[in-house]
Amino acid sequence: MKLVVVSAGLSVPSSTRLLADRLAAAVGRQAAAGVEVEVVELRDLAVEIAHNFTNGFPGRKLAAAQEAVAEADGLIAVTPVFTASYSGLFKSFFDVLDKDALAGKPVLIAATGGTARHSLVLDHALRPMFTYLRAVVVPTGVYAASEDWGAEGLEGRVERAAGELAGLMTGLSGTRPVEPEALPVVPFAEQLARLAAS
């Protein structure tokens, strides 16, 4: 199984990347089958993402990252919190993905920030975005504030979320979303006639 980790951390070292690595390691431990992990560092793709917006074409590294995400059996997406939401770089990367790249794909969402007050970013920004992209978002999101590192609780959330993602990846590995068949269109007058006759 292939797990792709998208990290939008900007600094080196980055708490965002640290959380991403912990989540990936936990998924690897809990998956029933072997997991191949590929990390996409958005910091390294910033210029190519901007060029994609202006010329409509991905650069070589961005195209490889887009392909990795599209072919993954599962995705971990981690962003730092900027102005009470995901970072612009994080959002921009998902804006330049193919509209069907995440359809039916299991995704674990996570974020880092300076204070616990930003923890609602998971449910008010990340979860709606990935739902719009038709991903299958695991129930447990992981938020790590500065005070969470080394504190009780973070490791439990990491393990629980990783277990949920590993379970979905195992269940959905090798499957792709199937387009539903078009339902027959029955004119309204005919529907009324059928109801009257019944």
Side-chain angles (χ1 to χ4, degrees):
M1 289 189 299
K2 182 175 180 182
L3 173 65
V4 172
V5 179
V6 174
S7 172
L10 298 178
S11 59
V12 180
S14 161
S15 61
T16 301
R17 174 63 190 269
L18 178 61
L19 180 58
D21 289 344
R22 283 195 184 185
L23 289 164
V27 171
R29 286 192 302 272
Q30 297 192 45
V35 175
E36 172 194 342
V37 178
E38 180 175 344
V39 177
V40 174
E41 280 280 7
L42 297 186
R43 177 184 64 244
D44 300 334
L45 301 174
V47 172
E48 289 192 21
I49 291 170
H51 286 167
N52 195 151
F53 278 112
T54 58
N55 65 23
F57 298 99
R60 184 179 51 80
K61 287 196 257 184
L62 177 58
Q66 291 171 325
E67 183 179 345
V69 168
E71 292 178 354
D73 295 302
L75 181 72
I76 294 173
V78 191
T79 181
V81 175
F82 291 156
T83 320
S85 189
Y86 37 65
S87 73
L89 181 59
F90 182 84
K91 177 66 162 59
S92 295
F93 175 73
F94 289 100
D95 283 343
V96 298
L97 283 181
D98 180 87
K99 65 180 180 62
D100 297 321
L102 298 182
K105 193 178 303 296
V107 176
L108 190 167
I109 56 174
T112 58
T115 172
R117 291 192 306 265
H118 292 302
S119 62
L120 290 176
V121 71
L122 295 171
D123 291 320
H124 290 275
L126 273 76
R127 195 174 300 277
M129 183 184 83
F130 284 105
T131 298
Y132 176 80
L133 295 170
R134 294 178 289 139
V136 180
V137 184
V138 302
T140 302
V142 180
Y143 179 81
S146 298
E147 63 265 22
D148 287 326
W149 297 103
E152 192 175 327
L154 178 59
E155 206 53 44
R157 294 193 307 273
V158 165
E159 292 297 326
R160 183 170 62 244
E164 292 167 357
L165 181 62
L168 283 174
M169 287 174 63
T170 302
L172 298 177
S173 181
T175 65
R176 292 292 176 247
V178 178
E179 292 297 321
E181 293 182 23
L183 296 174
V185 177
V186 179
F188 184 68
E190 187 178 328
Q191 291 178 29
L192 287 176
R194 288 181 185 176
L195 284 173
S198 60

mmCIF file of all heavy atoms in Angstrom, residues 47-93:
data_model
loop_
_atom_site.group_PDB
_atom_site.id
_atom_site.type_symbol
_atom_site.label_atom_id
_atom_site.label_comp_id
_atom_site.label_asym_id
_atom_site.label_seq_id
_atom_site.Cartn_x
_atom_site.Cartn_y
_atom_site.Cartn_z
ATOM 1 N N VAL A 47 7.175 27.608 -5.692
ATOM 2 C CA VAL A 47 7.323 28.351 -6.949
ATOM 3 C C VAL A 47 6.570 27.655 -8.072
ATOM 4 O O VAL A 47 5.856 28.304 -8.857
ATOM 5 C CB VAL A 47 8.817 28.530 -7.300
ATOM 6 C CG1 VAL A 47 8.978 29.127 -8.686
ATOM 7 C CG2 VAL A 47 9.505 29.405 -6.259
ATOM 8 N N GLU A 48 6.675 26.334 -8.151
ATOM 9 C CA GLU A 48 5.977 25.601 -9.212
ATOM 10 C C GLU A 48 4.459 25.688 -9.045
ATOM 11 O O GLU A 48 3.727 25.732 -10.039
ATOM 12 C CB GLU A 48 6.433 24.139 -9.248
ATOM 13 C CG GLU A 48 7.844 23.966 -9.764
ATOM 14 C CD GLU A 48 8.193 22.523 -10.074
ATOM 15 O OE1 GLU A 48 7.274 21.703 -10.274
ATOM 16 O OE2 GLU A 48 9.391 22.209 -10.110
ATOM 17 N N ILE A 49 3.976 25.707 -7.802
ATOM 18 C CA ILE A 49 2.538 25.864 -7.574
ATOM 19 C C ILE A 49 2.075 27.224 -8.084
ATOM 20 O O ILE A 49 1.058 27.341 -8.771
ATOM 21 C CB ILE A 49 2.197 25.678 -6.078
ATOM 22 C CG1 ILE A 49 2.399 24.215 -5.667
ATOM 23 C CG2 ILE A 49 0.767 26.117 -5.789
ATOM 24 C CD1 ILE A 49 2.319 23.958 -4.168
ATOM 25 N N ALA A 50 2.838 28.275 -7.781
ATOM 26 C CA ALA A 50 2.487 29.619 -8.250
ATOM 27 C C ALA A 50 2.500 29.681 -9.772
ATOM 28 O O ALA A 50 1.591 30.260 -10.392
ATOM 29 C CB ALA A 50 3.456 30.648 -7.663
ATOM 30 N N HIS A 51 3.504 29.077 -10.400
ATOM 31 C CA HIS A 51 3.572 29.072 -11.865
ATOM 32 C C HIS A 51 2.397 28.301 -12.464
ATOM 33 O O HIS A 51 1.885 28.679 -13.516
ATOM 34 C CB HIS A 51 4.896 28.472 -12.343
ATOM 35 C CG HIS A 51 6.063 29.382 -12.147
ATOM 36 N ND1 HIS A 51 7.355 28.958 -12.261
ATOM 37 C CD2 HIS A 51 6.142 30.697 -11.835
ATOM 38 C CE1 HIS A 51 8.186 29.970 -12.037
ATOM 39 N NE2 HIS A 51 7.465 31.028 -11.765
ATOM 40 N N ASN A 52 1.967 27.233 -11.801
ATOM 41 C CA ASN A 52 0.828 26.453 -12.293
ATOM 42 C C ASN A 52 -0.429 27.326 -12.367
ATOM 43 O O ASN A 52 -1.230 27.201 -13.286
ATOM 44 C CB ASN A 52 0.593 25.245 -11.394
ATOM 45 C CG ASN A 52 -0.316 24.193 -12.005
ATOM 46 O OD1 ASN A 52 -0.200 23.020 -11.710
ATOM 47 N ND2 ASN A 52 -1.240 24.584 -12.865
ATOM 48 N N PHE A 53 -0.581 28.223 -11.394
ATOM 49 C CA PHE A 53 -1.735 29.121 -11.416
ATOM 50 C C PHE A 53 -1.671 30.091 -12.587
ATOM 51 O O PHE A 53 -2.693 30.419 -13.190
ATOM 52 C CB PHE A 53 -1.836 29.917 -10.113
ATOM 53 C CG PHE A 53 -2.500 29.166 -8.992
ATOM 54 C CD1 PHE A 53 -1.774 28.774 -7.881
ATOM 55 C CD2 PHE A 53 -3.850 28.844 -9.050
ATOM 56 C CE1 PHE A 53 -2.375 28.078 -6.840
ATOM 57 C CE2 PHE A 53 -4.458 28.145 -8.016
ATOM 58 C CZ PHE A 53 -3.731 27.760 -6.914
ATOM 59 N N THR A 54 -0.481 30.560 -12.921
ATOM 60 C CA THR A 54 -0.361 31.588 -13.954
ATOM 61 C C THR A 54 -0.261 31.025 -15.370
ATOM 62 O O THR A 54 -0.709 31.670 -16.315
ATOM 63 C CB THR A 54 0.858 32.495 -13.692
ATOM 64 O OG1 THR A 54 2.043 31.697 -13.637
ATOM 65 C CG2 THR A 54 0.687 33.257 -12.390
ATOM 66 N N ASN A 55 0.322 29.825 -15.534
ATOM 67 C CA ASN A 55 0.445 29.300 -16.900
ATOM 68 C C ASN A 55 -0.366 28.038 -17.157
ATOM 69 O O ASN A 55 -0.439 27.561 -18.285
ATOM 70 C CB ASN A 55 1.918 29.068 -17.266
ATOM 71 C CG ASN A 55 2.581 27.986 -16.429
ATOM 72 O OD1 ASN A 55 1.922 27.107 -15.877
ATOM 73 N ND2 ASN A 55 3.896 28.038 -16.332
ATOM 74 N N GLY A 56 -0.950 27.460 -16.099
ATOM 75 C CA GLY A 56 -1.822 26.302 -16.282
ATOM 76 C C GLY A 56 -1.114 24.968 -16.397
ATOM 77 O O GLY A 56 -1.760 23.948 -16.632
ATOM 78 N N PHE A 57 0.220 24.957 -16.223
ATOM 79 C CA PHE A 57 0.968 23.715 -16.370
ATOM 80 C C PHE A 57 1.836 23.466 -15.135
ATOM 81 O O PHE A 57 2.531 24.379 -14.694
ATOM 82 C CB PHE A 57 1.864 23.757 -17.616
ATOM 83 C CG PHE A 57 1.099 23.913 -18.890
ATOM 84 C CD1 PHE A 57 0.972 25.163 -19.483
ATOM 85 C CD2 PHE A 57 0.479 22.827 -19.486
ATOM 86 C CE1 PHE A 57 0.253 25.324 -20.654
ATOM 87 C CE2 PHE A 57 -0.240 22.974 -20.658
ATOM 88 C CZ PHE A 57 -0.358 24.222 -21.249
ATOM 89 N N PRO A 58 1.826 22.221 -14.624
ATOM 90 C CA PRO A 58 2.696 21.932 -13.478
ATOM 91 C C PRO A 58 4.132 21.728 -13.927
ATOM 92 O O PRO A 58 4.388 21.204 -15.010
ATOM 93 C CB PRO A 58 2.116 20.632 -12.920
ATOM 94 C CG PRO A 58 1.503 19.959 -14.118
ATOM 95 C CD PRO A 58 1.003 21.071 -15.007
ATOM 96 N N GLY A 59 5.072 22.158 -13.080
ATOM 97 C CA GLY A 59 6.477 21.856 -13.316
ATOM 98 C C GLY A 59 6.739 20.382 -13.041
ATOM 99 O O GLY A 59 5.859 19.650 -12.590
ATOM 100 N N ARG A 60 7.961 19.945 -13.299
ATOM 101 C CA ARG A 60 8.306 18.524 -13.166
ATOM 102 C C ARG A 60 8.070 17.991 -11.758
ATOM 103 O O ARG A 60 7.451 16.951 -11.568
ATOM 104 C CB ARG A 60 9.773 18.334 -13.577
ATOM 105 C CG ARG A 60 10.251 16.896 -13.584
ATOM 106 C CD ARG A 60 11.709 16.794 -14.021
ATOM 107 N NE ARG A 60 12.592 17.676 -13.284
ATOM 108 C CZ ARG A 60 13.070 17.429 -12.062
ATOM 109 N NH1 ARG A 60 12.741 16.314 -11.451
ATOM 110 N NH2 ARG A 60 13.875 18.280 -11.464
ATOM 111 N N LYS A 61 8.546 18.720 -10.733
ATOM 112 C CA LYS A 61 8.389 18.242 -9.353
ATOM 113 C C LYS A 61 6.934 18.285 -8.898
ATOM 114 O O LYS A 61 6.470 17.382 -8.211
ATOM 115 C CB LYS A 61 9.268 19.070 -8.410
ATOM 116 C CG LYS A 61 10.738 18.768 -8.521
ATOM 117 C CD LYS A 61 11.486 19.325 -7.319
ATOM 118 C CE LYS A 61 12.199 20.586 -7.683
ATOM 119 N NZ LYS A 61 13.017 21.147 -6.611
ATOM 120 N N LEU A 62 6.222 19.337 -9.291
ATOM 121 C CA LEU A 62 4.810 19.436 -8.925
ATOM 122 C C LEU A 62 4.000 18.332 -9.594
ATOM 123 O O LEU A 62 3.137 17.708 -8.968
ATOM 124 C CB LEU A 62 4.244 20.807 -9.295
ATOM 125 C CG LEU A 62 2.749 21.012 -9.027
ATOM 126 C CD1 LEU A 62 2.406 20.782 -7.561
ATOM 127 C CD2 LEU A 62 2.321 22.416 -9.475
ATOM 128 N N ALA A 63 4.281 18.046 -10.861
ATOM 129 C CA ALA A 63 3.569 16.977 -11.566
ATOM 130 C C ALA A 63 3.795 15.633 -10.882
ATOM 131 O O ALA A 63 2.869 14.820 -10.744
ATOM 132 C CB ALA A 63 4.013 16.920 -13.029
ATOM 133 N N ALA A 64 5.026 15.394 -10.424
ATOM 134 C CA ALA A 64 5.332 14.139 -9.719
ATOM 135 C C ALA A 64 4.563 14.062 -8.404
ATOM 136 O O ALA A 64 4.041 13.001 -8.037
ATOM 137 C CB ALA A 64 6.834 14.030 -9.465
ATOM 138 N N ALA A 65 4.444 15.192 -7.700
ATOM 139 C CA ALA A 65 3.686 15.211 -6.442
ATOM 140 C C ALA A 65 2.208 14.987 -6.699
ATOM 141 O O ALA A 65 1.540 14.240 -5.962
ATOM 142 C CB ALA A 65 3.907 16.548 -5.728
ATOM 143 N N GLN A 66 1.674 15.605 -7.731
ATOM 144 C CA GLN A 66 0.264 15.413 -8.082
ATOM 145 C C GLN A 66 -0.018 13.943 -8.416
ATOM 146 O O GLN A 66 -1.030 13.382 -7.991
ATOM 147 C CB GLN A 66 -0.116 16.296 -9.276
ATOM 148 C CG GLN A 66 -0.137 17.772 -8.950
ATOM 149 C CD GLN A 66 -0.299 18.632 -10.190
ATOM 150 O OE1 GLN A 66 0.214 18.293 -11.279
ATOM 151 N NE2 GLN A 66 -1.001 19.739 -10.070
ATOM 152 N N GLU A 67 0.883 13.337 -9.162
ATOM 153 C CA GLU A 67 0.729 11.930 -9.529
ATOM 154 C C GLU A 67 0.800 11.031 -8.295
ATOM 155 O O GLU A 67 0.017 10.094 -8.155
ATOM 156 C CB GLU A 67 1.813 11.535 -10.535
ATOM 157 C CG GLU A 67 1.677 10.111 -11.035
ATOM 158 C CD GLU A 67 2.750 9.754 -12.055
ATOM 159 O OE1 GLU A 67 3.414 10.657 -12.595
ATOM 160 O OE2 GLU A 67 2.921 8.539 -12.309
ATOM 161 N N ALA A 68 1.719 11.331 -7.393
ATOM 162 C CA ALA A 68 1.848 10.535 -6.165
ATOM 163 C C ALA A 68 0.561 10.586 -5.355
ATOM 164 O O ALA A 68 0.071 9.554 -4.866
ATOM 165 C CB ALA A 68 3.022 11.041 -5.328
ATOM 166 N N VAL A 69 -0.012 11.771 -5.202
ATOM 167 C CA VAL A 69 -1.256 11.916 -4.440
ATOM 168 C C VAL A 69 -2.395 11.156 -5.122
ATOM 169 O O VAL A 69 -3.166 10.449 -4.468
ATOM 170 C CB VAL A 69 -1.610 13.409 -4.260
ATOM 171 C CG1 VAL A 69 -3.028 13.579 -3.734
ATOM 172 C CG2 VAL A 69 -0.613 14.073 -3.317
ATOM 173 N N ALA A 70 -2.495 11.290 -6.436
ATOM 174 C CA ALA A 70 -3.577 10.622 -7.165
ATOM 175 C C ALA A 70 -3.478 9.105 -7.068
ATOM 176 O O ALA A 70 -4.503 8.410 -7.037
ATOM 177 C CB ALA A 70 -3.560 11.063 -8.631
ATOM 178 N N GLU A 71 -2.259 8.557 -7.004
ATOM 179 C CA GLU A 71 -2.080 7.100 -6.995
ATOM 180 C C GLU A 71 -2.024 6.505 -5.584
ATOM 181 O O GLU A 71 -1.972 5.285 -5.431
ATOM 182 C CB GLU A 71 -0.797 6.741 -7.753
ATOM 183 C CG GLU A 71 -0.891 7.028 -9.244
ATOM 184 C CD GLU A 71 0.397 6.711 -9.974
ATOM 185 O OE1 GLU A 71 1.406 6.372 -9.313
ATOM 186 O OE2 GLU A 71 0.394 6.815 -11.214
ATOM 187 N N ALA A 72 -2.046 7.351 -4.564
ATOM 188 C CA ALA A 72 -1.911 6.868 -3.184
ATOM 189 C C ALA A 72 -3.143 6.082 -2.748
ATOM 190 O O ALA A 72 -4.265 6.349 -3.188
ATOM 191 C CB ALA A 72 -1.697 8.047 -2.245
ATOM 192 N N ASP A 73 -2.923 5.123 -1.860
ATOM 193 C CA ASP A 73 -4.032 4.392 -1.239
ATOM 194 C C ASP A 73 -4.566 5.155 -0.028
ATOM 195 O O ASP A 73 -5.670 4.886 0.448
ATOM 196 C CB ASP A 73 -3.567 3.003 -0.795
ATOM 197 C CG ASP A 73 -3.173 2.144 -1.989
ATOM 198 O OD1 ASP A 73 -4.029 1.931 -2.867
ATOM 199 O OD2 ASP A 73 -2.012 1.715 -2.049
ATOM 200 N N GLY A 74 -3.778 6.088 0.499
ATOM 201 C CA GLY A 74 -4.184 6.907 1.626
ATOM 202 C C GLY A 74 -3.330 8.152 1.679
ATOM 203 O O GLY A 74 -2.231 8.193 1.116
ATOM 204 N N LEU A 75 -3.854 9.180 2.344
ATOM 205 C CA LEU A 75 -3.176 10.474 2.394
ATOM 206 C C LEU A 75 -3.206 11.025 3.815
ATOM 207 O O LEU A 75 -4.230 10.934 4.497
ATOM 208 C CB LEU A 75 -3.890 11.446 1.448
ATOM 209 C CG LEU A 75 -3.335 12.855 1.323
ATOM 210 C CD1 LEU A 75 -2.018 12.853 0.557
ATOM 211 C CD2 LEU A 75 -4.338 13.752 0.594
ATOM 212 N N ILE A 76 -2.076 11.560 4.244
ATOM 213 C CA ILE A 76 -2.008 12.337 5.479
ATOM 214 C C ILE A 76 -1.719 13.767 5.055
ATOM 215 O O ILE A 76 -0.750 14.022 4.338
ATOM 216 C CB ILE A 76 -0.898 11.832 6.419
ATOM 217 C CG1 ILE A 76 -1.217 10.415 6.918
ATOM 218 C CG2 ILE A 76 -0.720 12.781 7.603
ATOM 219 C CD1 ILE A 76 -0.096 9.776 7.716
ATOM 220 N N ALA A 77 -2.566 14.713 5.468
ATOM 221 C CA ALA A 77 -2.405 16.108 5.085
ATOM 222 C C ALA A 77 -2.250 16.953 6.344
ATOM 223 O O ALA A 77 -3.152 16.996 7.183
ATOM 224 C CB ALA A 77 -3.609 16.576 4.276
ATOM 225 N N VAL A 78 -1.091 17.626 6.473
ATOM 226 C CA VAL A 78 -0.782 18.386 7.684
ATOM 227 C C VAL A 78 -0.396 19.816 7.307
ATOM 228 O O VAL A 78 0.445 20.036 6.434
ATOM 229 C CB VAL A 78 0.373 17.736 8.479
ATOM 230 C CG1 VAL A 78 0.498 18.388 9.848
ATOM 231 C CG2 VAL A 78 0.165 16.238 8.629
ATOM 232 N N THR A 79 -1.027 20.770 7.983
ATOM 233 C CA THR A 79 -0.758 22.180 7.721
ATOM 234 C C THR A 79 -0.517 22.943 9.017
ATOM 235 O O THR A 79 -1.113 22.607 10.045
ATOM 236 C CB THR A 79 -1.939 22.847 6.970
ATOM 237 O OG1 THR A 79 -1.636 24.230 6.711
ATOM 238 C CG2 THR A 79 -3.231 22.768 7.772
ATOM 239 N N PRO A 80 0.323 23.978 8.965
ATOM 240 C CA PRO A 80 0.359 24.897 10.096
ATOM 241 C C PRO A 80 -0.876 25.794 10.016
ATOM 242 O O PRO A 80 -1.464 25.948 8.939
ATOM 243 C CB PRO A 80 1.635 25.711 9.852
ATOM 244 C CG PRO A 80 1.861 25.633 8.378
ATOM 245 C CD PRO A 80 1.299 24.324 7.926
ATOM 246 N N VAL A 81 -1.281 26.356 11.139
ATOM 247 C CA VAL A 81 -2.424 27.265 11.150
ATOM 248 C C VAL A 81 -1.920 28.687 10.970
ATOM 249 O O VAL A 81 -1.073 29.160 11.714
ATOM 250 C CB VAL A 81 -3.213 27.138 12.471
ATOM 251 C CG1 VAL A 81 -4.330 28.173 12.531
ATOM 252 C CG2 VAL A 81 -3.785 25.740 12.606
ATOM 253 N N PHE A 82 -2.460 29.357 9.948
ATOM 254 C CA PHE A 82 -2.175 30.772 9.703
ATOM 255 C C PHE A 82 -3.510 31.504 9.678
ATOM 256 O O PHE A 82 -4.410 31.109 8.936
ATOM 257 C CB PHE A 82 -1.470 30.981 8.357
ATOM 258 C CG PHE A 82 -0.060 30.449 8.297
ATOM 259 C CD1 PHE A 82 0.503 30.127 7.083
ATOM 260 C CD2 PHE A 82 0.699 30.276 9.440
ATOM 261 C CE1 PHE A 82 1.808 29.646 6.999
ATOM 262 C CE2 PHE A 82 2.005 29.798 9.379
ATOM 263 C CZ PHE A 82 2.559 29.483 8.153
ATOM 264 N N THR A 83 -3.654 32.548 10.459
ATOM 265 C CA THR A 83 -4.875 33.350 10.493
ATOM 266 C C THR A 83 -6.109 32.471 10.655
ATOM 267 O O THR A 83 -7.071 32.556 9.892
ATOM 268 C CB THR A 83 -4.995 34.227 9.218
ATOM 269 O OG1 THR A 83 -3.716 34.748 8.882
ATOM 270 C CG2 THR A 83 -5.955 35.380 9.453
ATOM 271 N N ALA A 84 -6.051 31.566 11.610
ATOM 272 C CA ALA A 84 -7.181 30.699 11.993
ATOM 273 C C ALA A 84 -7.627 29.733 10.901
ATOM 274 O O ALA A 84 -8.751 29.252 10.917
ATOM 275 C CB ALA A 84 -8.365 31.545 12.470
ATOM 276 N N SER A 85 -6.757 29.432 9.943
ATOM 277 C CA SER A 85 -7.116 28.480 8.894
ATOM 278 C C SER A 85 -5.850 27.790 8.386
ATOM 279 O O SER A 85 -4.766 27.990 8.912
ATOM 280 C CB SER A 85 -7.824 29.200 7.747
ATOM 281 O OG SER A 85 -8.356 28.266 6.819
ATOM 282 N N TYR A 86 -6.018 26.939 7.361
ATOM 283 C CA TYR A 86 -4.863 26.300 6.744
ATOM 284 C C TYR A 86 -4.026 27.356 6.034
ATOM 285 O O TYR A 86 -4.499 28.446 5.726
ATOM 286 C CB TYR A 86 -5.273 25.203 5.761
ATOM 287 C CG TYR A 86 -6.514 25.502 4.955
ATOM 288 C CD1 TYR A 86 -6.551 26.542 4.036
ATOM 289 C CD2 TYR A 86 -7.664 24.729 5.108
ATOM 290 C CE1 TYR A 86 -7.670 26.814 3.291
ATOM 291 C CE2 TYR A 86 -8.797 24.993 4.372
ATOM 292 C CZ TYR A 86 -8.800 26.032 3.462
ATOM 293 O OH TYR A 86 -9.922 26.312 2.741
ATOM 294 N N SER A 87 -2.784 27.031 5.761
ATOM 295 C CA SER A 87 -1.907 27.994 5.084
ATOM 296 C C SER A 87 -2.304 28.136 3.617
ATOM 297 O O SER A 87 -2.900 27.231 3.025
ATOM 298 C CB SER A 87 -0.444 27.544 5.179
ATOM 299 O OG SER A 87 -0.205 26.434 4.336
ATOM 300 N N GLY A 88 -1.947 29.270 3.029
ATOM 301 C CA GLY A 88 -2.243 29.501 1.620
ATOM 302 C C GLY A 88 -1.530 28.505 0.725
ATOM 303 O O GLY A 88 -2.078 28.055 -0.292
ATOM 304 N N LEU A 89 -0.308 28.124 1.089
ATOM 305 C CA LEU A 89 0.443 27.150 0.304
ATOM 306 C C LEU A 89 -0.264 25.792 0.308
ATOM 307 O O LEU A 89 -0.358 25.128 -0.725
ATOM 308 C CB LEU A 89 1.863 27.023 0.858
ATOM 309 C CG LEU A 89 2.806 26.064 0.139
ATOM 310 C CD1 LEU A 89 2.979 26.465 -1.320
ATOM 311 C CD2 LEU A 89 4.146 26.007 0.856
ATOM 312 N N PHE A 90 -0.751 25.396 1.464
ATOM 313 C CA PHE A 90 -1.492 24.134 1.597
ATOM 314 C C PHE A 90 -2.720 24.140 0.686
ATOM 315 O O PHE A 90 -2.927 23.231 -0.117
ATOM 316 C CB PHE A 90 -1.906 23.971 3.065
ATOM 317 C CG PHE A 90 -2.627 22.698 3.385
ATOM 318 C CD1 PHE A 90 -1.922 21.526 3.641
ATOM 319 C CD2 PHE A 90 -4.006 22.668 3.489
ATOM 320 C CE1 PHE A 90 -2.583 20.348 3.983
ATOM 321 C CE2 PHE A 90 -4.677 21.501 3.826
ATOM 322 C CZ PHE A 90 -3.965 20.343 4.071
ATOM 323 N N LYS A 91 -3.516 25.196 0.785
ATOM 324 C CA LYS A 91 -4.729 25.292 -0.040
ATOM 325 C C LYS A 91 -4.381 25.332 -1.519
ATOM 326 O O LYS A 91 -5.041 24.696 -2.348
ATOM 327 C CB LYS A 91 -5.511 26.543 0.364
ATOM 328 C CG LYS A 91 -6.767 26.818 -0.475
ATOM 329 C CD LYS A 91 -7.830 25.754 -0.268
ATOM 330 C CE LYS A 91 -9.204 26.200 -0.717
ATOM 331 N NZ LYS A 91 -9.313 26.571 -2.113
ATOM 332 N N SER A 92 -3.327 26.076 -1.870
ATOM 333 C CA SER A 92 -2.949 26.204 -3.283
ATOM 334 C C SER A 92 -2.581 24.862 -3.896
ATOM 335 O O SER A 92 -2.909 24.580 -5.049
ATOM 336 C CB SER A 92 -1.788 27.187 -3.437
ATOM 337 O OG SER A 92 -2.188 28.476 -3.058
ATOM 338 N N PHE A 93 -1.901 24.005 -3.121
ATOM 339 C CA PHE A 93 -1.544 22.691 -3.653
ATOM 340 C C PHE A 93 -2.798 21.897 -3.995
ATOM 341 O O PHE A 93 -2.889 21.282 -5.068
ATOM 342 C CB PHE A 93 -0.690 21.913 -2.661
ATOM 343 C CG PHE A 93 -0.393 20.507 -3.099
ATOM 344 C CD1 PHE A 93 0.506 20.256 -4.129
ATOM 345 C CD2 PHE A 93 -1.035 19.423 -2.511
ATOM 346 C CE1 PHE A 93 0.773 18.963 -4.557
ATOM 347 C CE2 PHE A 93 -0.770 18.127 -2.924
ATOM 348 C CZ PHE A 93 0.129 17.887 -3.948
#
